[in-house]
């Protein structure tokens, strides 16, 4: 329970960070990162549909050049996890294959 409380608190902080980053005109950089994190926190809370919605919306904005390959791969993998939990197994597999394709040459 204590861990869930921390995840809930982190979720609230990520949502607030995304809002303030957008307000400050930092949406394409810090705002995207905050929404990426928000998607991960929602996933950890088992809020699959909400997490999938956030991750789908942020996916076009997460770029290797700005956020790094790791962020792109993590977003795709989390989205795959959400879609799998929602019973969308083909879409989940497609997202995981995209992630694996980016990470295939990593040590």
């Amino acid at each position: 329970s204590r861990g869930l409380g921390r995840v809930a608190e982190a979720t609230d902080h990520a949502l607030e960070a995304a809002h303030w980053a957008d307000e400050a005109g930092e949406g394409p950089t810090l705002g995207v990162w905050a929404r990426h994190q928000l998607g991960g926190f929602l996933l950890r809370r088992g809020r699959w549909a909400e997490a999938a919605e956030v991750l789908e919306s942020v996916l076009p904005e997460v770029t290797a050049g700005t956020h790094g390959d790791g962020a792109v791969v993590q977003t795709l993998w989390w989205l795959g996890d959400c879609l799998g939990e929602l019973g969308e197994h083909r879409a989940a597999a497609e997202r995981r294959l995209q992630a694996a394709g980016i990470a295939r040459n990593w040590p």
Side-chain angles (χ1 to χ4, degrees):
S1 285
R2 191 172 199 183
L4 282 179
R6 288 187 189 140
V7 173
E9 186 177 327
T11 303
D12 292 341
H13 289 312
L15 185 58
E16 187 174 348
H19 168 75
W20 288 114
D22 289 342
E23 287 290 314
E26 298 292 333
T29 53
L30 296 176
V32 168
W33 181 252
R35 285 189 295 280
H36 160 85
Q37 292 296 311
L38 175 62
F41 292 132
L42 289 168
L43 179 140
R44 280 182 224 122
R45 292 184 72 187
R47 294 166 61 178
W48 317 116
E50 289 172 88
E53 185 177 334
V54 169
L55 294 166
E56 282 279 4
S57 73
V58 82
L59 189 58
E61 301 174 80
V62 176
T63 64
T66 302
H67 306 97
D69 282 349
V72 177
V73 168
Q74 186 65 73
T75 302
L76 287 165
W77 199 265
W78 281 341
L79 185 53
D81 288 347
C82 292
L83 293 170
E85 290 292 337
L86 293 169
E88 298 179 33
H89 302 293
R90 182 183 180 98
E94 288 171 359
R95 293 305 187 186
R96 289 185 180 128
L97 281 172
Q98 284 180 292
I102 295 167
R104 73 177 168 266
N105 295 322
W106 290 2

